[in-house]
Amino acid sequence: MAEPEPEPASSQTLSNNALKRERRARDRQAREEEKMKLSRNRTTVNQRPPMANDDAVDPAQYLRNRIQRLALQKESGLNPYPHKFEVSMSVIEFIDEFRSLHIGEHIENTEISLAGRVLNKRSSSSKLYFYDLHGDGAKIQVMAEARHSDMDENEFAKYHSGVKRGDIVGLCGFPGKSKRGELSIFPRSLVVLAPCLHMLPKHTITSNSAGAQSNHSWTPGTTRNPESYALRDQETRYRQRYLDLMLNPEVQKIFRTRAKIISYCRNFLDNLGFIEVETPAMTMTAGGAAARPFITHHNELDMKLYMRISLELYLKKLVIGGFDRVYEIGRVFRNEGMDLTHLPEFTMCEFYMAYADYNDLMDLIEKLLSGMVKELTGSYKIKYHGNGFDSEPIEIDFTPPFRRIDLIEELESRANLCIPKDLSTETANRFLLEACEKFDIKCPAPPTTTRLLDKLVGHFLEETCINPTFIINHPEIMNPLAKWHRSKPGLTERFELFVNKRELCDAYTELNDPEVQRQRFAEQLKDRQMGDEEAMVLDESFCTALEYGLPPTAGLGVGIDRLAMLLTDSPNVKEVTLFPAMKPQG
């Protein structure tokens, strides 16, 4: 039987080059099929069911529409909540790097990836969409054109019609400036990273052709305009602070300024050799201040505990232990009333300095505050709407040195009184009670000598303290932790710093004689027996610590919240508190 003739070698075996061409063709076909599949999925999601016009639906229907759209995306195999997005720079960094571009200039060979929240959306046509992208307190324009996109025109229009105000998006593109001079990013791809399901309040954002970091010109220490807020309802702003921060750029600036205040205090003290510490927020005795505490229960130890009303006593124990300069910035809790300058939970910065007295601390806090105001605002003088934004702002001048007035001497001079030297007697109490009645000054029960004297000081002295003013040399009866005055019997080496009629700081040379300290606590017991729940109680563990020796020491506490109010022109303390205490709704 004859053997078949062999086929030519070229028909038996394909060349290596031919095999590579065949593999590339198969890969190209697979990519095209995958792209068509994704396109069909996107088309399906964008076509059914037809979404109502955003302006024509109420918020509840808007929410239902967005939830329905998410469900369709998930059914189509698309993940509406990606796990990660690579960001090459922040919005602020983008502005800093490209703000100097010329009008109409594009850098198409530079690839940038950004992410942020869309707070405004406009469309010129189905081929051109504009977004305002916000991130890190800054804003830039997104100029999405179909000709730059990796989608075809139909797919581009359908996808961008589904991007809504409030959505968090990631995009990759190149920088440039529009013909109007608006710093922009021109995306080649844009993806929603986290959809905002709720309809945001309508508002207009003014474009900034210079590419500045904010749409508002407000800076710390200058007058701001809350009427420009997109979200104005106070209840909503305080309860949903995230929405307030999202929609009102000036509110973000308030809390960035607050953070700078705390950083300045920390750096100032660190540079002077102070060490920062943390002390317990729950204590067995609520001491260190005259205030009503919050009470809680420790289950494991089966004992009643108090939320701290002050940082003082633990910090002085640390000075006894050998930390000569120590400070803490922390929350304290006082179960008392709420008004424009008081909240039950607030932030204090307290520091203690061994081998110093209250004169040293007057110089130190004067330097700290004047330097802080100058650094954050550019001037020693600020404008403040102390009586609300409908009133004329007042000018507060932090130029050192600050005014100093002696409490008893100034009170006697202004009220034309001759206050008894021994304020621990019933005679002194009756004298002060009659003085309050004479000037129609109301004092809530119980009318202790301390309360009566405090009301007189508030009426005659505090009202004069617009610019920073030290009220010095308080009577011993007004603070059991302050050391007696070295040359004025019956008084202490204490000062309070007032600004715009409000106490900002309290400080004194610390009492370090354990025997005298126990006597002072015992005298406070009389006020508690009269019904004053704010009077201090005996803290035996602190007195025992004093017996080991507290060096000559001076200590000071400054209220961070009130300081933030001044430097952000906020007449309400809730404006500088991220999540203020609120009554439950309903």
Side-chain angles (χ1 to χ4, degrees):
M1 184 176 178
E3 294 183 0
E5 291 186 10
E7 296 182 4
S10 60
S11 63
Q12 287 180 342
T13 306
L14 294 173
S15 70
N16 288 336
N17 288 337
L19 285 171
K20 290 179 181 178
R21 284 195 297 271
E22 185 176 295
R23 282 197 298 270
R24 283 199 296 269
R26 285 199 303 268
D27 291 344
R28 187 163 51 249
Q29 183 177 357
R31 286 196 301 269
E32 290 296 327
E33 289 176 354
E34 182 65 20
K35 184 174 181 180
M36 291 180 65
K37 180 182 176 180
L38 289 174
S39 178
R40 284 194 298 270
N41 286 341
R42 283 172 173 163
T43 301
T44 301
V45 169
N46 281 280
Q47 283 183 341
R48 61 181 177 94
M51 297 291 114
N53 185 287
D54 291 348
D55 295 328
V57 297
D58 62 29
Q61 183 61 47
Y62 182 93
L63 175 61
R64 288 192 291 269
N65 289 345
R66 294 233 73 185
I67 292 174
Q68 188 176 13
R69 177 182 174 82
L70 285 182
L72 288 172
Q73 286 180 304
K74 293 174 182 178
E75 289 174 7
S76 302
L78 299 177
N79 178 16
Y81 294 96
H83 287 68
K84 181 177 173 61
F85 183 82
E86 291 288 348
V87 176
S88 62
M89 63 173 55
S90 69
V91 174
I92 290 178
E93 290 170 338
F94 181 91
I95 293 170
D96 289 341
E97 184 163 345
F98 300 110
R99 67 166 74 244
S100 60
L101 293 179
H102 299 297
I103 294 176
E105 181 182 1
H106 296 170
I107 312 179
E108 297 196 26
N109 60 350
T110 298
E111 188 74 11
I112 304 293
S113 61
L114 296 177
R117 190 182 293 274
V118 171
L119 286 185
N120 201 20
K121 176 183 177 182
R122 310 172 297 283
S123 63
S124 176
S125 67
S126 62
K127 300 178 183 180
L128 178 60
Y129 289 84
F130 297 91
Y131 302 99
D132 285 343
L133 186 73
H134 288 246
D136 298 313
K139 184 233 10 147
I140 62 164
Q141 178 175 264
V142 177
M143 196 169 175
E145 296 184 77
R147 64 190 178 96
H148 296 310
S149 174
D150 56 5
M151 303 178 182
D152 61 45
E153 290 184 2
N154 185 50
E155 186 182 7
F156 175 88
K158 289 176 179 176
Y159 188 81
H160 281 273
S161 67
V163 180
K164 305 296 182 183
R165 288 186 60 238
D167 287 353
I168 295 174
V169 302
L171 49 90
C172 296
F174 58 89
K177 275 192 177 178
S178 68
K179 294 179 180 179
R180 295 185 177 182
E182 182 86 8
L183 180 61
S184 308
I185 183 167
F186 298 79
R188 290 190 171 94
S189 64
L190 183 148
V191 60
V192 174
L193 304 176
C196 177
L197 304 185
H198 293 272
M199 180 185 290
L200 298 183
K202 297 286 188 298
H203 69 301
T204 301
I205 297 179
T206 304
S207 296
N208 189 330
S209 59
Q213 292 186 9
S214 173
N215 304 301
H216 301 274
S217 58
W218 176 78
T219 55
T222 61
T223 299
R224 60 188 176 88
N225 179 23
E227 290 302 314
S228 67
Y229 285 2
L231 178 64
R232 297 183 189 176
D233 181 72
Q234 278 194 342
E235 282 285 313
T236 303
R237 289 182 54 232
Y238 298 156
R239 292 183 187 279
Q240 296 178 270
R241 183 66 86 180
Y242 52 88
L243 196 59
D244 187 29
L245 295 168
M246 184 192 307
L247 295 175
N248 296 328
E250 288 184 6
V251 175
Q252 280 202 25
K253 282 197 170 185
I254 288 173
F255 290 101
R256 293 178 189 277
T257 299
R258 181 189 171 106
K260 291 177 182 178
I261 290 169
I262 294 173
S263 293
Y264 190 96
C265 290
R266 180 173 282 118
N267 293 334
F268 182 90
L269 294 172
D270 287 345
N271 289 335
L272 290 175
F274 284 80
I275 179 172
E276 183 176 9
V277 298
E278 294 176 301
T279 60
M282 296 185 295
T283 64
M284 289 187 289
T285 304
R292 294 176 59 185
F294 286 92
I295 303 173
T296 186
H297 184 81
H298 195 302
N299 289 337
E300 181 66 23
L301 298 179
D302 191 24
M303 62 185 295
K304 180 170 68 175
L305 291 176
Y306 301 92
M307 300 299 291
R308 66 185 178 190
I309 59 174
S310 172
L311 311 175
E312 179 168 345
L313 301 187
Y314 278 109
L315 292 178
K316 286 196 281 193
K317 288 179 181 179
L318 295 177
V319 178
I320 293 170
F323 285 144
D324 287 347
R325 296 188 177 194
V326 63
Y327 76 95
E328 181 173 7
I329 299 173
R331 304 291 274 179
V332 295
F333 311 88
R334 299 182 182 180
N335 197 1
E336 299 171 347
M338 297 168 59
D339 57 32
L340 293 179
T341 62
H342 292 86
L343 284 177
E345 176 182 7
F346 57 98
T347 301
M348 291 287 293
C349 173
E350 288 197 27
F351 56 88
Y352 292 81
M353 186 175 181
Y355 312 110
D357 64 12
Y358 78 139
N359 293 302
D360 298 309
L361 291 195
M362 273 189 269
D363 295 337
L364 191 151
I365 194 65
E366 189 175 83
K367 182 178 180 182
L368 187 156
L369 292 179
S370 61
M372 177 191 296
V373 172
K374 184 68 178 292
E375 179 168 312
L376 296 188
T377 71
S379 171
Y380 287 127
K381 298 178 180 180
I382 64 172
K383 298 289 186 181
Y384 184 66
H385 287 82
N387 297 315
F389 289 102
D390 293 334
S391 63
E392 285 294 319
I394 59 174
E395 182 178 85
I396 301 175
D397 188 354
F398 282 85
T399 303
F402 300 164
R403 182 169 69 117
R404 303 183 184 190
I405 59 176
D406 187 283
L407 187 148
I408 293 296
E409 291 178 5
E410 190 75 9
L411 181 58
E412 289 182 330
S413 173
R414 289 184 174 274
N416 194 25
L417 297 173
C418 185
I419 298 173
K421 299 299 181 183
D422 187 356
L423 290 170
S424 63
T425 64
E426 287 295 326
T427 300
N429 182 266
R430 285 196 301 272
F431 177 88
L432 295 174
L433 182 59
E434 291 171 0
C436 285
E437 292 173 350
K438 174 183 176 182
F439 296 108
D440 196 27
I441 298 172
K442 307 298 181 184
C443 179
T448 62
T449 300
T450 300
R451 284 174 176 253
L452 293 167
L453 192 55
D454 186 65
K455 289 298 179 182
L456 286 166
V457 171
H459 182 79
F460 286 103
L461 303 189
E462 294 173 14
E463 289 296 311
T464 70
C465 303
I466 303 300
N467 292 331
T469 303
F470 293 115
I471 299 179
I472 66 175
N473 302 335
H474 297 56
E476 289 182 6
I477 199 170
M478 296 188 76
N479 192 303
L481 297 168
K483 194 164 189 175
W484 63 86
H485 199 285
R486 68 196 77 180
S487 61
K488 297 182 179 181
L491 304 183
T492 59
E493 294 190 348
R494 177 189 179 191
F495 70 79
E496 291 177 294
L497 178 64
F498 282 82
V499 182
N500 190 41
K501 310 178 186 180
R502 299 289 183 180
E503 179 191 349
L504 187 63
C505 302
D506 189 9
Y508 33 86
T509 306
E510 302 294 337
L511 177 57
N512 59 348
D513 184 328
E515 183 179 353
V516 176
Q517 184 64 81
R518 284 191 176 92
Q519 292 173 357
R520 295 274 191 88
F521 281 144
E523 291 166 2
Q524 287 284 297
L525 180 60
K526 298 176 184 177
D527 286 349
R528 292 190 71 86
Q529 291 172 342
M530 290 181 62
D532 187 356
E533 297 181 6
E534 296 182 359
M536 290 192 199
V537 296
L538 171 64
D539 188 329
E540 183 57 39
S541 70
F542 175 66
C543 293
T544 300
L546 287 181
E547 291 174 344
Y548 285 87
L550 172 67
T553 299
L556 180 146
V558 56
I560 297 296
D561 306 80
R562 289 187 179 177
L563 188 52
M565 289 173 65
L566 290 169
L567 294 185
T568 61
D569 193 19
S570 300
N572 188 337
V573 68
K574 289 183 179 180
E575 292 288 344
V576 298
T577 305
L578 278 170
F579 299 101
M582 304 283 287
K583 285 186 177 181
Q585 290 179 307

